[in-house]
Amino acid sequence: HSNSQLATFADGFLNALPGLTMDSTLETGAALAGNWRFFAFLWFLGLSLFGIPCIGGLLFLKGFALGFSVSFLVGRQVSAGLLVSILGVLPQNLLLIPAVLLGGTLAAVFSRQIWQGRVGARQVALYSGCFALLLLVGAVAAWLQGYVAPALLQGVLAMLS
């Protein structure tokens, strides 16, 4: 029952996509908040002793959600789903996926160093500085998601119709 509801929603979305308008500022803000929450949580997990298994789980969930979204869109309507995936999902994820993997690796290594007792104030500052850079990458990815991806998608859809 829920699968048919999801399919109906996806079909309706893909069919209505050419006429949709979007508030880019709102979308960018929501993506920025989500990206920053994710990186802040990774940063926190790196500072904790129990961080390593949680980091792996968090990365798995992030990858699963992205993979499910793309595969569902492509599986429902191959050409339209592929177009939406390439133009609407890929641009921000070209930056976000490597940043997430780097952040997960940094957090896991740092958590392990805490476990081994090899962390001082300098290491915490360096670790936090790396995550500040990842937050900037997350901000650029949010901008791509809010402004660039919708413009690409609308431009191609306008040319096709």
Side-chain angles (χ1 to χ4, degrees):
H1 176 29
S2 63
N3 192 24
S4 65
Q5 285 179 327
L6 190 56
T8 303
F9 173 78
D11 289 341
F13 172 75
L14 290 172
N15 292 332
L17 195 58
L20 281 178
T21 57
M22 189 176 86
D23 184 349
S24 292
T25 304
L26 189 63
E27 175 63 26
T28 300
L32 184 64
N35 292 345
W36 282 17
R37 258 191 316 271
F38 184 82
F39 284 118
F41 193 50
L42 266 182
W43 174 82
F44 172 75
L45 288 173
L47 292 174
S48 65
L49 292 175
F50 61 90
I52 293 174
C54 295
I55 292 164
L58 191 62
L59 293 179
F60 171 78
L61 290 175
K62 184 83 166 169
F64 180 81
L66 179 62
F68 177 80
S69 301
V70 169
S71 68
F72 190 80
L73 284 171
V74 172
R76 276 312 287 166
Q77 293 183 3
V78 175
S79 59
L82 189 59
L83 185 67
V84 169
S85 296
I86 290 172
L87 298 176
V89 178
L90 184 64
Q92 64 272 18
N93 282 299
L94 286 174
L95 289 178
L96 207 52
I97 290 171
V100 164
L101 292 174
L102 180 60
T105 303
L106 286 170
V109 167
F110 196 77
S111 182
R112 183 172 160 243
Q113 287 179 339
I114 287 176
W115 189 266
Q116 294 171 340
R118 300 186 313 187
V119 173
R122 184 171 185 266
Q123 287 84 7
V124 172
L126 184 60
Y127 173 72
S128 297
C130 289
F131 267 88
L133 291 175
L134 291 175
L135 288 176
L136 289 176
V137 173
V140 173
W143 176 77
L144 287 170
Q145 183 175 337
Y147 288 95
V148 175
L152 284 172
L153 198 53
Q154 291 293 343
V156 169
L157 289 174
M159 288 187 330
L160 293 176
S161 58

Coordinates of all heavy atoms in Angstrom, one line a residue, residues 6 34 76 133:
L6 N 3.8 5.8 -2.8 CA 5.1 6.4 -3.1 C 5.2 6.5 -4.7 O 5.6 7.5 -5.2 CB 6.2 5.6 -2.5 CG 7.6 6.2 -2.6 CD1 7.7 7.6 -2.0 CD2 8.6 5.3 -1.9
G34 N 20.3 21.1 6.7 CA 20.5 19.7 6.7 C 21.9 19.3 6.6 O 22.4 18.4 7.3
R76 N 11.0 4.3 -11.8 CA 9.6 4.6 -12.1 C 9.4 5.0 -13.6 O 8.5 4.5 -14.3 CB 9.1 5.7 -11.2 CG 8.6 5.3 -9.9 CD 7.6 4.2 -9.9 NE 6.3 4.5 -10.4 CZ 5.4 3.5 -10.7 NH1 5.7 2.3 -10.6 NH2 4.2 3.9 -11.1
L133 N 35.9 23.6 7.2 CA 36.0 23.6 5.7 C 34.9 22.7 5.1 O 34.4 23.1 4.1 CB 37.4 23.1 5.3 CG 38.5 24.0 5.7 CD1 39.9 23.4 5.3 CD2 38.4 25.4 4.9

